[in-house]
Amino acid sequence: MVPRSDESVFNKDDLFLFGQETTYRLYNKLGAHLAPGKPGTCRFSVWAPNARLVTVTGDFNSWNTVSHPLQPLGKSGIWSGVYSGVSKGSLYKYHIFSQFHDYEIEKADPFAFHSEIAPGTASVIWDLEFPWNDQSWMSTRSSRNNLAAPISIYEVHLGSWKRKNSSNTGYFNYREIAPLLAQYVSELGFTHIELLPVMEHPFYGSWGYQTTGYFAPTSRYGTPQDFMFFIDYMHNHDIGVLLDWVPSHFSSDSHALSFFDGTHLYEHADPRKGIHPDWNSCIFNYGRHEVVSFLISSALFWLDKYHADGLRVDAVASMLYNDYSRKTGEWVPNRYGGRENLEAIGFLRKLNEEVYKNHPDVQTIAEESTSWPMVSRPTYTGGLGFGLKWDMGWMHDTLDYLQKDPARRKYHQNKLTFRQLYSGSENFILPLSHDEAVHGKGSLFQKMAGDDWQKFANLRLLFGQMYGLNGKKLLFMGAEFGQRREWNHELSLDWQLLQDHCHTGIMKWLTDLNHIYRLEPALHELDCDDRGFTWIDCNDADQSIVAFLRKPAGSGSLIMGIANFTPVPRRDYRLGVPRHGFWQEILNSDASEYGGSGWGNFGGVWSTAEPWHDQPATVNLTLPPLAIVYFKNESQQT
């Protein structure tokens, strides 16, 4: 069978631009596309420059490997053809006969919109038609996603957040889980959810980080339209959706991108550059124009077609350094002899430029764990161009501190205070992420020092401290009610814990933190600006106490937080304040409703005109044990 001509789809400019890395909507032409107005007709197009022949094989031709050949389009490396007798839902692959080594193999479509349910590996012919109903959200999205907005993120793995039954079998599909998750997230007060990768992946235990389908949501939970419904539903309940996206490495499964046409097409051929030692996965060749176009097209695809509100880019540090996780002799220096991956740096800058040019109201977020400078600064100033960066240093320092016996904490006060030396260098998110709840690390609850009472108190204190610091917030599912065991992707969260007052107390505390964070401009407007945070006193190491002030962008209420990291209550604790008047106690993690012991300040305190801590006034406070207390001052008197 000979395919119909495809010249009208790919003109000479298309083919030229594809090779020059200046086209970033490849999904419009590559892949399988049903012909509008021509039922049963589909155009197939794939990039395989080192093939001598490419055919389409599928259930529509009984998986015949020679009956449906594609034609090469000039010297572009693209093979294309139009065939009838196919329909939406048909399974297919490309059978590639390489120019080299008599190599032939069947590959899934790199641009497939839908995939066969695992363990099947075929691509599925599909369309992306959907009646979106989120115009209100999309028209106001910039006010919800900008750096001055309150952004608190609930990180979710869809397959293990909640299962259909108590035996932990049966996933909820995208449509079923949407109302359950939306109601839950809304009640907790989070502004956004972040989904661990939903891009198609063959191994469920990779959590999505071993991607094979860069243009297909995993079919484990439904169709593309089902996932569109999920996002549309979230938007209609005022919840933003951030997608975890993995351009740092990809699955080495034989049906996917690796050794695609008998050559290392998407990855580097040299294993010192092309194989990731931590995950035994393939590393993209960022120096190849077509690969960069593929990846940026994928990023824009989720924003264009699925209305995603941002992309969290995984493992950025592994992209930036040629010697990442490699010993001497296991890596290749750049052309200047350095360890920096110049091609990856160029790709990340181009990625962010294209995302913000096309979607200025979204955010790109870097998971970057080193001190690489200017990750979240514009490319025109020499930065990488991300909107936000995870503050991994804060996460590790704070968790290390809270694992220590309170009697030893006074020797480690710098763990609490060090981040303020660099907090203005980037636009930070404070993450308490999935990586801190797996692989034997224990849950956040397990990490906390002390007996059960102290663990609950320390966990409330951890959340209270996080919401008081400048930076956006992220919390992995289960931590909001004090999940005791570490996360297991094969099990639902331990919802039965919510029958216990101490666990519901954690949830109530987190909910109130989200509420006050969203309500008070002082707690979010200058999250990414050093002017929004100042220490009142961070030097009381002997008592393991810190006190800070949060300020709004303009005039308005001030918020003061005081944290006591010991189990000893402090009466008549003297603290300087910048304003005279009444300081209302608005949150107290030791309140009985949260599971605390009930120490507090009976609604607030009045200041006295005595200078202290370089401030014009003084308050005398009761500091509860292992707790943080928030005060609000509305007075404009100075």
Side-chain angles (χ1 to χ4, degrees):
M1 185 179 291
V2 178
R4 293 206 293 271
S5 171
D6 208 29
E7 293 177 358
S8 62
V9 175
F10 291 93
N11 58 43
K12 291 182 179 179
D13 287 342
D14 292 330
L15 301 180
F16 172 78
L17 292 174
F18 174 62
Q20 297 299 308
E21 190 206 304
T22 51
T23 180
Y24 301 118
R25 297 300 199 297
L26 293 179
Y27 61 82
N28 283 327
K29 298 199 173 183
L30 292 175
H33 294 266
L34 293 166
K38 298 179 180 179
T41 301
C42 186
R43 167 172 49 86
F44 299 92
S45 305
V46 64
W47 179 53
N50 299 299
R52 58 181 172 86
L53 175 65
V54 179
T55 66
V56 182
T57 179
D59 57 6
F60 50 86
N61 65 5
S62 300
W63 297 98
N64 190 303
T65 61
V66 295
S67 63
H68 287 61
L70 302 180
Q71 301 299 313
L73 300 184
K75 298 180 179 180
S76 67
I78 296 173
W79 297 73
S80 187
V82 178
Y83 282 104
S84 58
V86 299
S87 61
K88 180 178 176 179
S90 295
L91 304 181
Y92 72 101
K93 286 186 178 182
Y94 296 116
H95 196 95
I96 297 175
F97 300 82
S98 179
Q99 297 178 20
F100 303 103
H101 320 299
D102 294 324
Y103 176 86
E104 61 180 277
I105 194 169
E106 287 184 358
K107 291 286 189 178
D109 189 345
F111 286 87
F113 295 148
H114 193 26
S115 298
E116 187 179 13
I117 297 176
T121 58
S123 300
V124 182
I125 295 173
W126 211 259
D127 64 42
L128 297 175
E129 297 298 319
F130 183 75
W132 287 96
N133 189 37
D134 64 348
Q135 295 81 8
S136 176
W137 171 273
M138 297 295 283
S139 66
T140 60
R141 185 165 68 172
S142 61
S143 66
R144 306 170 189 264
N145 281 347
N146 68 64
L147 298 180
I151 296 178
S152 58
I153 304 164
Y154 186 63
E155 188 186 28
V156 181
H157 178 253
L158 283 179
S160 58
W161 179 70
K162 185 175 287 189
R163 294 287 178 90
K164 281 192 170 182
N165 52 58
S166 59
S167 61
N168 281 297
T169 58
Y171 303 123
F172 286 104
N173 65 35
Y174 294 119
R175 290 178 184 266
E176 292 169 334
I177 205 170
L180 302 176
L181 187 57
Q183 180 179 355
Y184 185 74
V185 169
S186 295
E187 289 174 353
L188 287 174
F190 287 99
T191 64
H192 293 69
I193 59 171
E194 180 182 307
L195 301 180
L196 268 65
V198 295
M199 297 76 189
E200 193 58 81
H201 50 285
F203 177 45
Y204 175 71
S206 76
W207 316 330
Y209 290 100
Q210 295 278 0
T211 304
T212 54
Y214 278 81
F215 297 84
T218 178
S219 55
R220 288 175 178 85
Y221 315 125
T223 68
Q225 281 74 17
D226 292 336
F227 186 49
M228 292 174 180
F229 173 90
F230 175 93
I231 295 179
D232 194 62
Y233 194 96
M234 292 297 158
H235 285 173
N236 278 284
H237 289 78
D238 293 327
I239 300 166
V241 181
L242 307 172
L243 301 182
D244 214 335
W245 183 66
V246 190
S248 49
H249 63 113
F250 62 92
S251 167
S252 59
D253 290 64
S254 61
H255 72 278
L257 296 179
S258 66
F259 210 61
F260 191 79
D261 61 358
T263 66
H264 297 281
L265 191 62
Y266 287 88
E267 72 274 21
H268 283 281
D270 187 336
R272 295 174 298 171
K273 300 176 71 175
I275 299 295
H276 200 295
D278 289 347
W279 305 303
N280 196 31
S281 52
C282 299
I283 299 175
F284 284 105
N285 183 350
Y286 307 106
R288 187 156 198 168
H289 296 322
E290 298 91 343
V291 172
V292 170
S293 294
F294 170 82
L295 287 171
I296 295 180
S297 293
S298 171
L300 293 178
F301 174 78
W302 299 102
L303 304 173
D304 293 345
K305 298 299 184 180
Y306 284 87
H307 294 196
D309 301 295
L311 299 173
R312 180 266 195 185
V313 181
D314 182 62
V316 170
S318 74
M319 302 171 67
L320 294 174
Y321 300 97
N322 289 322
D323 63 345
Y324 185 89
S325 283
R326 299 180 189 273
K327 300 175 183 177
T328 302
E330 295 179 347
W331 59 282
V332 180
N334 63 37
R335 61 179 177 269
Y336 302 111
R339 59 197 285 253
E340 298 81 10
N341 188 330
L342 303 180
E343 291 81 10
I345 295 166
F347 159 69
L348 290 171
R349 287 173 171 161
K350 176 57 69 175
L351 164 72
N352 286 311
E353 289 171 355
E354 289 299 321
V355 166
Y356 284 111
K357 179 175 73 176
N358 289 278
H359 297 280
D361 55 352
V362 306
Q363 290 291 353
T364 59
I365 302 164
E367 187 217 10
E368 203 287 310
S369 56
T370 74
S371 57
W372 188 279
M374 301 178 68
V375 171
S376 57
R377 295 293 180 261
T379 58
Y380 60 79
T381 66
L384 293 181
F386 285 94
L388 290 154
K389 171 185 171 174
W390 278 19
D391 189 348
M392 310 286 277
W394 167 82
M395 177 180 69
H396 292 306
D397 283 350
T398 305
L399 293 180
D400 181 64
Y401 179 86
L402 285 167
Q403 290 178 77
K404 298 184 184 303
D405 186 296
R408 307 293 301 172
R409 288 176 178 174
K410 64 182 179 180
Y411 303 113
H412 303 277
Q413 187 88 343
N414 64 308
K415 295 281 187 180
L416 294 177
T417 61
F418 177 71
R419 88 167 296 262
Q420 294 312 128
L421 297 178
Y422 66 82
S423 66
S425 64
E426 302 279 5
N427 303 326
F428 280 119
I429 290 177
L430 305 179
L432 294 171
S433 73
H434 66 279
D435 281 328
E436 296 308 306
V438 290
H439 300 319
K441 297 178 183 177
S443 66
L444 287 184
F445 180 85
Q446 288 175 314
K447 293 181 196 298
M448 300 296 104
D451 58 21
D452 248 29
W453 188 91
Q454 290 191 349
K455 286 183 183 294
F456 280 112
N458 275 313
L459 191 58
R460 295 192 300 269
L461 180 50
L462 167 62
F463 295 159
Q465 179 77 347
M466 175 172 74
Y467 275 76
L469 297 177
N470 50 329
K472 307 308 179 184
K473 327 300 177 188
L474 179 141
L475 188 66
F476 183 55
M477 64 182 198
E480 75 277 7
F481 58 78
Q483 172 103 358
R484 287 177 177 264
R485 62 168 176 83
E486 72 173 28
W487 173 50
N488 183 338
H489 61 268
E490 297 288 0
L491 303 175
S492 173
L493 296 182
D494 293 334
W495 297 103
Q496 71 277 5
L497 293 176
L498 290 176
Q499 299 173 22
D500 183 284
H501 169 66
C502 291
H503 288 282
T504 57
I506 293 285
M507 180 179 284
K508 178 68 167 64
W509 170 242
L510 198 281
T511 301
D512 288 350
L513 282 171
N514 269 324
H515 174 74
I516 208 74
Y517 172 64
R518 298 174 70 164
L519 180 67
E520 295 294 340
L523 288 175
H524 63 255
E525 282 186 343
L526 296 178
D527 261 341
C528 299
D529 190 320
D530 267 349
R531 295 175 299 163
F533 180 97
T534 185
W535 291 115
I536 295 176
D537 183 19
C538 62
N539 297 313
D540 191 358
D542 283 342
Q543 300 186 87
S544 299
I545 293 170
V546 293
F548 57 84
L549 196 70
R550 293 298 306 273
K551 307 172 186 177
S555 60
S557 300
L558 299 179
I559 303 295
M560 178 173 63
I562 306 96
N564 175 13
F565 287 90
T566 74
V568 180
R570 310 289 180 183
R571 294 181 180 273
D572 296 320
Y573 188 84
R574 189 178 184 189
L575 193 69
V577 290
R579 287 181 182 172
H580 297 287
F582 185 69
W583 288 81
Q584 178 189 2
E585 184 179 274
I586 57 173
L587 281 176
N588 179 347
S589 69
D590 192 51
S592 57
E593 62 187 304
Y594 307 132
S597 56
W599 287 78
N601 293 272
F602 301 102
V605 294
W606 287 91
S607 67
T608 59
E610 302 173 70
W612 192 251
H613 289 138
D614 294 323
Q615 304 291 343
T618 297
V619 291
N620 287 291
L621 306 172
T622 294
L623 302 186
L626 291 176
I628 186 168
V629 186
Y630 281 86
F631 294 88
K632 176 180 178 179
N633 180 273
E634 297 180 350
S635 171
Q636 299 302 304
Q637 183 181 355
T638 58

